[in-house]
Amino acid sequence: MNNITDKLNRPIKDLRISVMDTCNYRCPYCMPAEKFDDNYQFLKPNQRLSFDEICRIVTVFAGFGVNKIRLTGGEPLLRKNLDELISRIKQIDGINDIALTTNGQLLKKQLPKLVDAGLDRVNISLDTINADLYHKMSGNKGDLDVVLDAIDSARKTKLKSVKINCVVQNGVNDQDILPLLAKYKDTNVVVRFIEFMDVGTINGWQQDTVVQFKDILNNISSKWPLHALDANYKGEVASRYKYNDHIGEVGFITSISKPFCRDCSRARISADGHLYTCLFAHESFNLKTHLKNDNNDFLQQYIKDVWENREDRYSEVRHELKTDSPKKIEMYVIGG
Ligand code: SAM
Ligand code: SF4
Ligand code: SF4
């Protein structure tokens, strides 16, 4: 293995792969229905990375020290035979953890095959447990009961962790934080609150829609006191808390109020094979060109050069940036 570091001395540990650019939801903060209508041109199947190409890319990243893979989208469960991809990635030397981020609508049926294939962890996005609001927040596509049932099924498998991701928006779902926790506070399902981020350009992000970590923490602590836990490992994105009087755990992803760029060791790949070195990137690096050569050496050298030249730290400097900065990549392309 040949570990590499970027210009800020950050290694590369974690690779997020979008396996699908389309989605069965139309969450207004990600793929608003007005823009992603029936005429929207998604990638054609042959423009998406094939499983062979994904595995070649993962092999090269594993050689640089990546040991964790997260499959995301769009909605990754729309990609056919995802279990086959998981089992192939699992066999790659150095990869010891495969996670999936999904909206959960299609999860329950696919779960046994995914777990058998070697999936280790699943994160399910759930911004509210109010059924009407859930439906609305999914762009009138999602059924809350189906997702809650999938979460229950996931808990009964041998998955190492089942986490819920809840993006909190002021005046939209902030009143649902406590009801969501009430449901999971006595379980091993970790609920993680994510500050609404200014990813991309189409979600109409405004600073005042963000509910900051400390406000969410105070809100929860006034009902159920919490204490902080140590990070599981260096570079863990979420700050972890445990209830004093319940078995559950709560996490916070504080990209806005407490950036964590200093330890950011993750890269992202879009479904069409572009590498992004930051969630807020405005440039990408086309890996497909380097996949044309059967020899992995070119791909390896290219990725090494990209990572060694990386100096992203958007969240730390966002307040200094001008409003006319170049257009950022959209969330549905790189999957969070
Ligand atoms: N479709 C899958 C899902 O929803 O879990 C995977 C892709 S989705 C883009 C990944 C995560 O990004 C979801 O948890 C979603 O809530 C989150 N997300 C989307 N836009 C966001 C934003 N502007 N700020 C914070 N999180 C966002
Ligand atoms: Fe789809 Fe996930 Fe984006 Fe919602 S957040 S539109 S489920 S990709
Ligand atoms: Fe990493 Fe970019 Fe997020 Fe900073 S802003 S933590 S560099 S993805």
Side-chain angles (χ1 to χ4, degrees), residues 10 197 255 259-266 268 277-281 310-316 318:
R10 296 169 297 190
M197 294 183 273
S255 167
F260 36 80
C261 300
R262 210 152 302 170
D263 289 326
C264 181
S265 54
R266 61 181 44 147
R268 296 171 164 87
T277 57
C278 178
L279 191 52
F280 303 91
R310 174 187 189 239
E311 46 189 349
D312 305 283
R313 51 189 200 97
Y314 177 89
S315 287
E316 289 181 352
R318 67 158 52 76

Side-chain angles (χ1 to χ4, degrees), residues 242-256:
K242 212 162 174 51
Y243 297 97
N244 293 356
D245 307 312
H246 299 275
I247 65 163
E249 188 181 315
V250 184
F252 299 93
I253 299 178
T254 60
S255 167
I256 306 289

Side-chain angles (χ1 to χ4, degrees), residues 227-233 236 238-241 249:
H227 56 273
L229 296 177
D230 290 336
N232 282 316
Y233 53 89
E236 187 172 30
S239 310
R240 301 169 58 217
Y241 285 77
E249 188 181 315

